[in-house]
């Protein structure tokens, strides 16, 4: 069976409105995928940007092909995953009617039924034929309950807006009169402390205070559940503002969902080679140190992204998904290698070496100085930041998080 669908990219029209531009066609035939650019799109010259910095980085007339169950990594980024996938599969009859099948969705369905306003600028399928799944998700985000979270399907694909923890796209208004801000709403799972989202907001604020690129964020309660609200870095303000194309680090490295944690391509050193913008290499290193400081070991390559700035120009996107691990103990072991030889342990020795291999620092002394600054800031400032985020959240306990944010690094070689 051969299935085909157009691929579109959001762009900004002359009157500052969003317009979908057809960039090519995606084909699936059993275990084979093919993408081919539209000739009209290629004729756009410098304004016709590539899809990603690795797999479909060239603007060629010949088709790109791939063998396997999953599509090209850049399309895995925009497919339904995690919370949204679970909700929409359960509600499929609501928008598919008699055409709804009881079979679990494959990658093709996850692409066609994904909202056109998903991660980045790409979407698959005709806009007019897209089911109104946004309306379903908008209702779900206002009716989240602990019972609903308990039924979340922990889908293993790890799409950039998916993953194990419930995440829903929507809009947030600070006041009824303010402009809607494209926002990612993120909840703790039933097995986690409810104030986990407060701890994550704390980590993001600390990163911002340290000068890292961080989206606006705050914590609110929805139906009694704490939610971390993160402004989308792939969207401009308003419901029709500009769209910025982004890809996950996995796509930049040519990784598919389900790859083994020891895959040699799962490497910050390799990701560093994709960075060309001034300051991005050093920031990547500083993010690794921050992860070590707060015990975040959920740093898989779908939790870092690159944002397209122009033809063959990609910058490190703002920071997200920095989850302090409540039960941390010992040296953190990351899910991506931090050294050329494949080491993943965040020991002081490895972090210092990463300062030179990833951050571009000239000496071990410079790396130690950078590490010390980050650790000291986290130890000194985390508590007031946590308390500020926890003001409106019942049951938050800053004292319970002290061992996490004040981890005794002096005991780690």
């Amino acid at each position: 069976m051969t299935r085909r669908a157009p691929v579109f990219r959001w762009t900004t029209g002359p009157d500052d409105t969003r317009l979908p531009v057809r960039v090519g066609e995606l084909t699936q035939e059993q275990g084979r995928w093919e993408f081919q650019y539209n000739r009209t799109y290629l004729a756009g010259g410098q304004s016709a940007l590539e899809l990603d910095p690795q797999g479909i980085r060239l603007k060629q007339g010949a088709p790109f092909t791939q063998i396997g169950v999953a599509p090209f990594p850049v399309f895995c980024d925009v497919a339904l995953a995690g919370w949204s996938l679970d909700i929409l599969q359960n509600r499929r009859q609501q928008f598919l009617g008699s055409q709804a099948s009881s079979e679990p969705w494959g990658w093709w369905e996850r692409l066609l039924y994904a909202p056109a306003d998903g991660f980045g600028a790409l979407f698959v399928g005709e806009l007019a034929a897209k089911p109104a799944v946004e309306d379903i998700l908008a209702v779900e985000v206002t009716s989240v309950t602990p019972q609903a979270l308990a039924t979340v399907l922990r889908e293993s694909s790890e799409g950039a807006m998916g993953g194990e923890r419930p995440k829903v796209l929507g809009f947030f208004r600070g006041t009824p009169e303010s402009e809607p801000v494209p926002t990612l709403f993120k909840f703790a799972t039933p097995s986690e402390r409810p104030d986990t989202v407060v701890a994550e907001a704390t980590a993001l604020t600390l990163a911002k205070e340290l000068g890292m690129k961080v989206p606006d964020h705050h914590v609110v309660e929805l139906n009694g559940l704490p939610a971390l609200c993160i402004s989308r870095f792939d969207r401009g303000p308003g419901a029709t503002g500009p769209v910025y194309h982004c890809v996950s680090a996995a796509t930049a490295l040519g990784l598919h969902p389900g790859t083994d944690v020891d895959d040699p391509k799962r490497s910050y050193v390799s990701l560093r080679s994709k960075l060309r913008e001034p300051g991005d290499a050093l920031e990547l290193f500083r993010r690794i140190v921050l992860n070590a400081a707060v015990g975040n070991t959920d740093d898989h390559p779908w939790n870092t992204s690159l944002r397209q700035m122009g033809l063959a120009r990609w910058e490190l996107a703002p920071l997200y998904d920095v989850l302090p691990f409540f039960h941390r103990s010992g040296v953190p072991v990351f899910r991506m290698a931090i050294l050329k030889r494949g080491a993943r342990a965040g020991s002081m020795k490895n972090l210092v070496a990463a300062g030179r291999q990833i951050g571009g620092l000239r000496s071990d002394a410079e790396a130690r100085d950078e590490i010390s600054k980050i650790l000291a800031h986290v130890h000194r400032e985390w508590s007031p930041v946590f308390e500020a985020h926890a003001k409106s959240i019942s049951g938050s306990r800053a004292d319970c998080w002290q061992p996490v944010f004040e981890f005794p690094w002096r005991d780690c070689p």
Side-chain angles (χ1 to χ4, degrees):
M1 179 181 179
T2 300
R3 297 188 280 192
R4 293 184 174 87
V7 177
F8 291 90
R9 177 184 182 130
W10 290 108
T11 188
T12 304
D15 55 351
D16 293 331
T17 57
R18 292 180 189 171
L19 293 174
V21 173
R22 183 165 179 162
V23 298
E25 183 176 71
L26 184 66
T27 302
Q28 181 197 38
E29 185 174 9
Q30 295 181 343
R32 181 177 181 274
W33 294 84
E34 178 179 295
F35 171 79
Q36 185 161 19
Y37 279 111
N38 184 291
R39 290 184 179 179
T40 303
Y41 180 76
L42 292 178
Q46 291 289 317
S47 64
L49 304 180
E50 72 277 16
L51 265 60
D52 69 63
Q54 176 67 25
I56 310 180
R57 69 186 187 282
L58 303 175
K59 296 191 303 175
Q60 64 185 38
F64 295 82
T65 59
Q66 177 175 284
I67 304 300
V69 175
F72 301 89
V74 68
F75 294 115
C76 295
D77 282 349
V78 301
L80 287 169
W83 167 262
S84 298
L85 175 62
D86 184 59
I87 291 296
L88 295 176
Q89 279 196 123
N90 290 338
R91 307 288 189 276
R92 69 183 78 182
Q93 287 191 335
Q94 187 173 337
F95 59 91
L96 293 177
S98 60
Q99 298 179 358
S101 168
S102 59
E103 293 296 319
W105 284 344
W107 281 101
W108 190 259
E109 290 79 15
R110 290 168 58 183
L111 285 167
L112 286 188
Y113 301 145
D117 192 30
F119 175 71
L122 299 180
F123 65 91
V124 178
E126 295 285 355
L127 183 61
K130 284 277 186 183
V133 296
E134 296 93 338
D135 296 338
I136 297 174
L137 295 176
V139 170
E140 289 295 331
V141 76
T142 61
S143 59
V144 172
T145 64
Q147 292 74 28
L149 292 188
T151 64
V152 171
L153 172 64
R154 289 172 175 80
E155 212 281 331
S156 63
S157 67
E158 296 182 314
M161 289 293 187
E164 295 183 354
R165 305 181 78 228
K167 304 174 187 176
V168 183
L169 300 176
F171 292 92
F172 179 83
R173 292 179 185 269
T175 66
E177 298 78 23
S178 60
E179 189 173 24
V181 177
T183 299
L184 179 70
F185 297 85
K186 185 175 182 180
F187 302 88
T189 63
S191 62
E192 295 174 321
R193 293 176 56 93
D195 60 1
T196 295
V197 296
V198 177
E200 185 170 356
T202 300
L204 290 174
T205 300
L206 292 170
K208 186 174 183 178
E209 292 175 347
L210 286 162
M212 300 181 205
K213 295 186 286 189
V214 179
D216 291 338
H217 55 278
H218 58 279
V219 180
V220 299
E221 275 198 357
L222 295 176
N223 286 357
L225 285 178
L228 173 60
C229 304
I230 307 174
S231 297
R232 292 180 61 175
F233 53 75
D234 61 341
R235 295 290 183 272
T240 59
V243 177
Y244 307 105
H245 185 43
C246 297
V247 300
S248 67
T251 290
L253 296 171
L255 288 163
H256 281 89
T259 56
D260 188 86
V261 71
D262 291 319
D263 189 310
K265 290 192 292 185
R266 291 179 66 132
S267 165
Y268 284 111
V269 182
S270 297
L271 181 60
R272 185 255 180 273
S273 69
K274 307 291 182 182
L275 303 178
R276 301 286 185 271
E277 296 303 310
D280 274 0
L282 179 57
E283 169 141 347
L284 182 62
F285 164 66
R286 299 182 81 226
R287 291 183 183 187
I288 294 170
V289 177
L290 178 71
N291 282 335
V294 302
N296 175 39
T297 54
D298 191 34
D299 62 322
H300 58 68
W302 288 268
N303 276 347
T304 298
S305 295
L306 303 185
R307 184 165 56 185
Q308 194 169 42
M309 301 179 64
L311 189 62
R313 290 189 61 198
W314 299 84
E315 69 172 359
L316 192 62
L319 182 67
Y320 63 98
D321 278 354
V322 182
L323 181 64
F325 183 45
F326 185 74
H327 299 290
R328 71 176 302 181
S329 63
V331 172
V333 179
F334 301 120
R335 296 180 68 183
M336 291 179 65
I338 63 173
L339 296 178
K340 292 177 182 178
R341 63 176 184 268
R344 293 189 289 112
S347 65
M348 191 61 66
K349 178 181 177 181
N350 287 349
L351 290 175
V352 169
R356 304 187 69 173
Q357 294 184 20
I358 297 172
L361 298 174
R362 292 172 294 180
S363 67
D364 288 355
E366 283 190 10
R368 289 194 188 94
D369 183 58
E370 196 66 53
I371 294 167
S372 296
K373 289 178 181 177
I374 294 173
L375 293 179
H377 185 82
V378 170
H379 285 196
R380 183 178 62 251
E381 302 296 337
W382 78 269
S383 183
V385 172
F386 188 101
E387 294 287 3
H389 281 300
K391 281 182 179 178
S392 60
I393 306 301
S394 58
S396 292
R397 291 277 305 276
D399 59 311
C400 294
W401 289 91
Q402 182 177 0
V404 177
F405 287 99
E406 297 183 23
F407 182 76
W409 280 95
R410 62 183 179 275
D411 298 336
C412 297

